[in-house]
Amino acid sequence: MFIFFACAQLFFSCNTESTLSSSDDLYIEVDVENFPYMVEQFADLKILRYQLPGWESLSLDEQKLVYYLTQAGLSGRDIMWDQNYRHNLTIRQALETIYTTFDGDKTTENWRAFEIYLKRVWFSNGIHHHYSNAKLKPEFSEDYLKSLLDATTASLEGEAFDVIFNEKDAKKVNQAKDVDNVLASAVNFYGPDITNNDVETFYAARVSPNPNKPLSFGLNSQLVKENGVVKERVYKSGGLYGTAIDEIVKWLELAEGVAENKAQGDALALLISYYKTGDLQTWDDYNVAWTAATEGNIDYINSFIEVYNDPLGYRGSYETIVQIKDFDMSAKMAVLSENAQWFEDNSPLMPEHKKKNVVGVSYKTVNVAGEAGDASPSTPIGVNLPNANWIRAEVGSKSVSLGNITNAYNNSGSSGRLKEFVHDDEEYELEKKHGQLADKLHTALHEVVGHASGQLNPGVGETKETLKNYASTLEEGRADLVGLYYLYDSKLQELGLVEDWKAVGRAAFDGYIRNGLMTQLIRLDLGDDVEEAHMRNRQWVSAWAFEKGQKDNVIEKVTRDGKTYFNINDYDKLHELFGQLLRETQRIKSEGDFEAVQALVEGYGVKVDPEIHAEVLERNKQFKSAPYGGFINPVLEPVTDENGAITAIKVNYAKDFASQMLYYVEHYNFLPNVN
């Protein structure tokens, strides 16, 4: 489960070299004391670097393990491109060929617009916006693109050319009510004639061998019709994406050879077997083994995991995150997982919805060493896996906060937008003093306690079956509410995590309401509905609390000098409201109440007040910082002796976004002909 962090100066590279002939084209020298987090900014995006501390303290085998895991991850990056949209790889190849070979005038506004469009496509792993899911709109004409194609060896024609400019496939994921979400979504998880009913009928006929341990049907396949018959195309060696998967397996086998311990090696062996066979029972076996493998300094996420990009929540997007343990922060934050049962016992959930025995919850702060697929360039700041409810209940889960990612965000922003939208100086000072800690703790509580809490009623199906297209936003909102509820609790001070729990809790409440009701709207075009799962959950939590607290003026809507603010007057009552909503969201999940979740999300989380939205956009025009942020990865470079044996792994930092994207396509292009 992801918590996504949004962020974001202006830089155009109009004369990029057409070839990358040496490492001088790829890397920069960095001063670790004055690390260059900012890379560049364009459109609504900011590109950052993250630092990789503590590398030298790893043994050579640990460095090799990290290197092999990052290579495995990058080997599958093109899978994500094809999953996102069927024409993405064709379009990318044409755009990159133009970018690297065009020798015409690169000082024109049209060329600048072309370059920005390509960078946006790179960032989103395709032609649809990574967050809003809307198709990216180029600011150059069809005729200009045709002139670039004519001036180079690039080829792009037919539907793949037309779709850049027309209205077809306008949304990668369409979560709107009263439409066929599968037909209306451009995501390449389904054939063009597959409907909601086809999906639901197909999987209603699939039965798990053990109903108490349901398999993740649909997670690793594309669903298509062949001669009118619905069938799966499974992602595996010899199957769909097989050429890239074979490359992933090659690197995972090398990683298995330098595993830190038997448990880690056994988990890697199961992951390799899963990639080779596509067998979902092996996937569950792997997740059980991976969850139990908690020793060691290195960990990873790899495979088809999160289902946010599937409008019905079945299919997993390819992603990988390679992690190095941050020992100091992990030790400090371990008290959360050690007290998971206390949090469950003292939550406002109905007794029958509480877990009697919270098992296997581990939490670490980690430093990211490499990301790919759905986790790159836009990355989460916290992760909790596995997603299977029965594994969480019987075995446990792993939660991580990505410490160096959060640090990079914190060192790359400014306070101007905060000053504009806070209600008063008191709120501003509270955020400046306690906001970063509040955010860090909210991430931890969301991942460690939130996603691990609660249980389904006996006989209730998986949430993707019962709550359908609302399952993801309900789960994210529920975990957010767990975090909010306990951020305003003296237990955090008792555990030594804060010095003033009320101040930290107030800062957290202020920030959440301010974002949920106002500042996140800078990400939407005027008139748009909220569709992304996390944005929806932040709005429905905030809007529900605002409405239910109006009688007691818990949250006050203030208009001053023509500007709108939301001011919390009663933090204690807001805490109670968060508890009530948490109780209700867990009931909805536990009982599989589709009508209730639909009413909650559609009633509070989708529609936007157009007057407030227009005001927010106007007030935001003064700020140059982009609303979204993402990262280029460090480059791990093996050093070998005369026999080819690796003697060390060097950490290099990429020079810019374009050079890293071109390097990736040169070295990790393993899906040349996907159909």
Side-chain angles (χ1 to χ4, degrees), residues 276-446:
K276 288 181 176 180
T277 64
D279 181 68
L280 290 171
Q281 182 59 62
T282 304
W283 171 246
D284 279 358
D285 294 342
Y286 160 71
N287 276 284
V288 170
W290 175 81
T291 302
T294 57
E295 300 299 320
N297 299 331
I298 313 302
D299 210 343
Y300 62 94
I301 294 162
N302 183 300
S303 199
F304 312 104
I305 299 174
E306 301 294 353
V307 297
Y308 303 115
N309 287 319
D310 183 343
L312 297 186
Y314 282 87
R315 298 180 144 69
S317 296
Y318 175 81
E319 70 164 302
T320 178
I321 304 174
V322 182
Q323 313 153 10
I324 303 170
K325 185 176 180 180
D326 181 329
F327 294 95
D328 292 338
M329 282 304 300
S330 294
K332 180 179 180 181
M333 301 295 282
V335 293
L336 288 178
S337 54
E338 292 166 0
N339 285 271
Q341 190 66 57
W342 183 93
F343 288 113
E344 185 78 352
D345 293 344
N346 288 274
S347 74
L349 307 185
M350 298 177 186
E352 62 269 28
H353 297 156
K354 295 182 182 182
K355 288 179 179 174
K356 302 300 184 289
N357 182 28
V358 180
V359 298
V361 178
S362 69
Y363 176 71
K364 295 177 182 178
T365 299
V366 301
N367 290 314
V368 171
E371 300 178 309
D374 201 27
S376 180
S378 179
T379 172
I381 58 170
V383 184
N384 176 270
L385 292 170
N387 285 330
N389 285 303
W390 76 263
I391 298 178
R392 291 177 186 271
E394 295 189 16
V395 182
S397 62
K398 285 181 178 178
S399 295
V400 294
S401 291
L402 310 186
N404 57 341
I405 297 294
T406 301
N407 184 63
Y409 278 127
N410 290 339
N411 283 281
S412 65
S414 65
S415 59
R417 188 177 282 122
L418 173 64
K419 288 182 179 179
E420 174 63 34
F421 289 100
V422 295
H423 173 253
D424 52 27
D425 290 343
E426 180 184 1
E427 184 179 334
Y428 176 77
E429 292 301 326
L430 199 65
E431 172 65 26
K432 294 297 290 183
K433 186 174 182 179
H434 300 289
Q436 286 192 16
L437 177 58
D439 288 344
K440 186 179 294 184
L441 285 170
H442 191 215
T443 300
L445 287 163
H446 174 113

Side-chain angles (χ1 to χ4, degrees), residues 484-500:
L484 290 166
Y485 186 78
Y486 283 117
L487 274 164
Y488 198 71
D489 193 299
S490 60
K491 184 68 173 180
L492 297 188
Q493 194 159 333
E494 177 188 323
L495 295 175
L497 295 171
V498 299
E499 294 181 358
D500 184 343

